[in-house]
């Protein structure tokens, strides 16, 4: 398969196999190799809720990259604290790759509590009610201190049902903010870097190699700087989505993301946007679908050419008593599981499914034991990450169409008694 490298970027990106629009790629960061399609667990406040980092690194999960939220970390503990503690990796104790969002989406989702102007967004902190202000420049500064391998441009999101006019206004603003994000980012990379020598490189690359069985590639020499992704907006309007993509690519980013989906629009609208945008995104850059979705959504988006995903579903739903399984969702609160000796998912080989029964996890949940959330979160993340591993293997062996059909059929076949 052809190898597309971007030597000027702080990422090395290589397409290893394709099947239809689906791609299996190798994305190399200064902190390790990430095989895509990849699912990135969300670590909102510097923690993937309920998960110790050892577990995320264990063969069970082997998460190569996790997310941090700029908005949450900026408000608490605050950027001065994280700076003092040596950046986000050091602060939380994670040597592998990180991606930080820009805070744009979080601030947007505050609804009535925020006011958007050309300059940026003013809002009330959900922590202490104080008046705060976030702009492209401030977001880039905060993300430079956090020090993730991948930072995101500061964007504005339009609601799923936004009219054409409303969506255009929002998209134009996002483009101006993208330009300002890029300018501020480039200045900061020159100012902040290089990082102290020895930071990041060799140990973590050993710790996070390729999928088992994959040949070891020669590690490319990467500049010790962050990468910046641009975000494509335009709500459900396909002409705006195409324009947003074109103009974002003109600014020039290390990778591109589709934002503003999974915000209340119908599922077919989301798939229409992905189908329209993904094949037109630069083939030699990673393609990231933000904040989506269920296992079916992931597979369908991979089939349309997406490489990277993040979503709170496996963690949040786990805490609410829901398990994702190969045969659909399971609600552990259901009385039918009171004496059920089966694991959460008979097809899952995670440490939770190897050891514990549905009956026990249900008992923990009903008793309000924190271990219920921990076990459900662990299994759900294992299920999402294992699904993506199987997707990668399927694309590499030209079996993705077959895999997609079987996986979806099984998902809809219903839970065994
Ligand atoms: Zn499991």
């Amino acid at each position: 398969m052809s190898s597309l490298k971007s030597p000027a970027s702080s990422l090395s990106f290589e397409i290893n196999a394709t099947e239809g629009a689906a791609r299996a790629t190798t994305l190399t960061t200064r902190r390790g190799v990430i095989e895509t399609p990849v699912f990135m667990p969300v670590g909102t406040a510097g923690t993937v809720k309920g998960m110790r980092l050892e577990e995320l690194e264990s063969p069970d999960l082997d998460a190569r990259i996790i997310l941090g939220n700029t908005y949450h970390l900026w408000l608490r503990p605050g950027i001065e604290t994280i700076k003092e503690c040596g950046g986000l990796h050091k602060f939380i104790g994670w040597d592998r790759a990180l991606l930080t969002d820009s805070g744009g989406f979080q601030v947007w989702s505050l609804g009535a509590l925020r006011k958007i102007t050309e300059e940026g967004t003013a809002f009330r902190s959900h922590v202490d009610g104080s008046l705060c202000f976030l702009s492209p420049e401030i977001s880039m500064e905060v993300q430079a201190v956090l020090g993730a391998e991948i930072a995101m441009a500061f964007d504005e999101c339009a609601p799923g049902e936004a009219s054409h006019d409303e969506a255009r206004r929002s998209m134009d603003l996002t483009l101006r903010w993208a330009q300002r994000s890029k300018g501020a980012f480039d200045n900061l990379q020159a100012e902040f870097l290089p990082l102290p020598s020895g930071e990041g490189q060799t140990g973590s690359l050993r710790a996070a190699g390729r999928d088992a069985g994959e040949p070891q590639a020669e590690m490319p020499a990467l500049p010790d700087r962050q990468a910046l992704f641009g975000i494509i907006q335009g709500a459900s309007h396909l002409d705006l989505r195409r324009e947003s993509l074109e103009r974002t690519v003109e600014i020039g980013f290390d990778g591109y993301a589709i934002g503003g989906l999974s915000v209340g629009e119908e599922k077919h609208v989301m798939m229409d946007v992905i189908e329209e945008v993904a094949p037109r995104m630069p083939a030699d850059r990673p393609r990231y679908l933000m904040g989506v979705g269920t296992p079916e959504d992931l597979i369908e988006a991979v089939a349309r050419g997406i490489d990277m995903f993040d979503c709170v579903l496996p963690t949040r739903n786990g805490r609410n008593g829901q398990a994702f399984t190969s045969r659909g969702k399971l609600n552990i609160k259901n009385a039918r599981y009171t004496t059920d000796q089966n694991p959460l998912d008979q097809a899952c080989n995670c440490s939770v499914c190897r050891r514990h029964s549905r009956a026990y996890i249900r008992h923990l949940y009903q008793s309000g034991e924190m271990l219920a959330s921990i076990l459900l979160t662990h299994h759900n993340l294992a299920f999402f990450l294992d699904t993506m591993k199987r997707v990668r293997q399927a694309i590499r062996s030209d079996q993705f169409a077959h895999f997609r059909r079987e996986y979806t059929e099984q998902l809809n076949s219903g839970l065994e008694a």
Side-chain angles (χ1 to χ4, degrees):
M1 201 59 220
S2 70
S3 156
L4 299 166
K5 300 207 174 178
S6 18
S9 170
S10 46
L11 301 173
S12 157
F13 185 70
E14 192 178 339
I15 298 174
N16 307 117
T18 58
E19 187 184 326
R23 342 190 299 161
T25 83
T26 303
L27 173 64
T28 307
T29 73
R30 62 188 180 186
R31 286 180 188 261
V33 176
I34 300 158
E35 303 288 337
T36 81
V38 66
F39 180 80
M40 306 182 281
V42 178
T44 304
T47 160
V48 177
K49 290 189 203 304
M51 297 294 297
R52 292 184 58 190
L53 296 179
E54 289 89 335
E55 289 177 333
L56 287 168
E57 288 166 357
S58 73
D60 234 22
L61 301 178
D62 196 18
R64 300 291 171 85
I65 177 167
I66 61 173
L67 252 71
N69 279 120
T70 290
Y71 165 83
H72 288 275
L73 294 164
W74 182 50
L75 293 184
R76 190 169 52 194
I79 214 58
E80 286 309 316
T81 299
I82 293 178
K83 194 175 191 174
E84 194 89 354
C85 296
L88 190 57
H89 290 92
K90 192 145 178 268
F91 181 56
I92 71 174
W94 176 255
D95 275 340
R96 296 186 176 186
L98 283 171
L99 181 149
T100 46
D101 67 1
S102 67
F105 181 77
Q106 250 87 23
V107 171
W108 173 80
S109 52
L110 292 172
L113 294 173
R114 48 111 173 107
K115 186 175 185 315
I116 296 167
T117 62
E118 182 64 35
E119 186 51 29
T121 306
F123 62 96
R124 293 266 169 207
S125 157
H126 77 281
V127 177
D128 60 9
S130 64
L131 193 60
C132 302
F133 184 76
L134 204 49
S135 68
E137 290 77 16
I138 297 169
S139 171
M140 293 306 113
E141 255 173 65
V142 173
Q143 291 190 76
V145 170
L146 295 174
E149 281 48 61
I150 301 173
M152 300 300 298
F154 189 70
D155 64 326
E156 210 245 324
C157 182
E161 72 281 7
S163 69
H164 197 276
D165 281 358
E166 209 183 337
R168 163 163 292 286
R169 187 207 51 76
S170 167
M171 179 200 79
D172 283 335
L173 181 63
T174 288
L175 283 160
R176 293 193 295 277
W177 284 1
Q179 188 77 62
R180 281 167 57 190
S181 294
K182 178 75 166 30
F185 176 84
D186 287 343
N187 290 339
L188 284 160
Q189 294 304 305
E191 179 187 328
F192 264 76
L193 300 168
L195 290 172
S197 62
E199 183 85 13
Q201 278 286 0
T202 42
S204 54
L205 290 177
R206 265 202 311 278
R210 295 185 137 201
D211 281 343
E214 292 297 330
Q216 288 294 321
E218 186 93 349
M219 289 297 305
L222 296 171
D224 208 359
R225 66 197 289 277
Q226 295 179 282
L228 182 65
F229 282 20
I231 304 177
I232 296 148
Q233 291 288 357
S236 61
H237 306 284
L238 300 183
D239 60 324
L240 295 181
R241 286 282 179 179
R242 284 194 303 271
E243 184 182 335
S244 174
L245 168 62
E246 221 167 87
R247 293 170 60 190
T248 307
V249 171
E250 267 169 32
I251 298 170
F253 291 94
D254 300 302
Y256 296 90
I258 304 180
L261 288 181
S262 215
V263 289
E265 77 283 2
E266 299 272 344
K267 186 144 294 193
H268 72 88
V269 172
M270 174 168 93
M271 284 302 157
D272 286 350
V273 170
I274 298 169
E275 200 157 316
E276 184 75 12
V277 176
R280 294 178 164 84
M281 293 167 87
D284 61 348
R285 294 284 187 277
R287 301 164 172 173
Y288 167 27
L289 177 60
M290 302 181 80
V292 177
T294 63
E296 315 79 296
D297 293 338
L298 266 50
I299 304 252
E300 290 310 305
V302 166
R304 290 160 175 80
I306 298 292
D307 308 312
M308 302 169 72
F309 301 90
D310 80 283
C311 191
V312 295
L313 278 181
T315 39
R316 179 184 292 162
N317 290 19
R319 295 196 299 281
N320 292 327
Q322 191 177 67
F324 288 88
T325 82
S326 57
R327 301 184 69 167
K329 289 172 199 156
L330 177 155
N331 190 335
I332 205 67
K333 286 170 269 192
N334 196 315
R336 69 194 275 203
Y337 302 123
T338 306
T339 59
D340 191 333
Q341 294 304 294
N342 290 307
L344 290 171
D345 184 353
Q346 298 201 14
C348 179
N349 196 35
C350 84
S351 57
V352 175
C353 289
R354 287 201 305 271
R355 183 179 290 251
H356 299 297
S357 66
R358 294 169 177 174
Y360 176 60
I361 298 171
R362 178 173 192 278
H363 155 71
L364 293 175
Y365 189 85
Q366 296 300 99
S367 313
E369 289 289 338
M370 68 168 128
L371 188 58
S373 294
I374 293 170
L375 297 181
L376 285 161
T377 301
H378 184 110
H379 161 78
N380 283 348
L381 284 176
F383 180 71
F384 272 62
L385 288 159
D386 181 63
T387 294
M388 298 317 270
K389 187 173 182 175
R390 291 167 64 202
V391 164
R392 294 193 295 270
Q393 285 163 352
I395 298 169
R396 284 169 186 270
S397 52
D398 218 16
Q399 293 288 315
F400 179 65
H402 174 75
F403 171 85
R404 178 185 177 192
R405 201 165 45 241
E406 283 218 323
Y407 186 95
T408 312
E409 261 172 35
Q410 199 183 27
L411 211 52
N412 296 321
S413 67
L415 287 160
E416 63 272 41

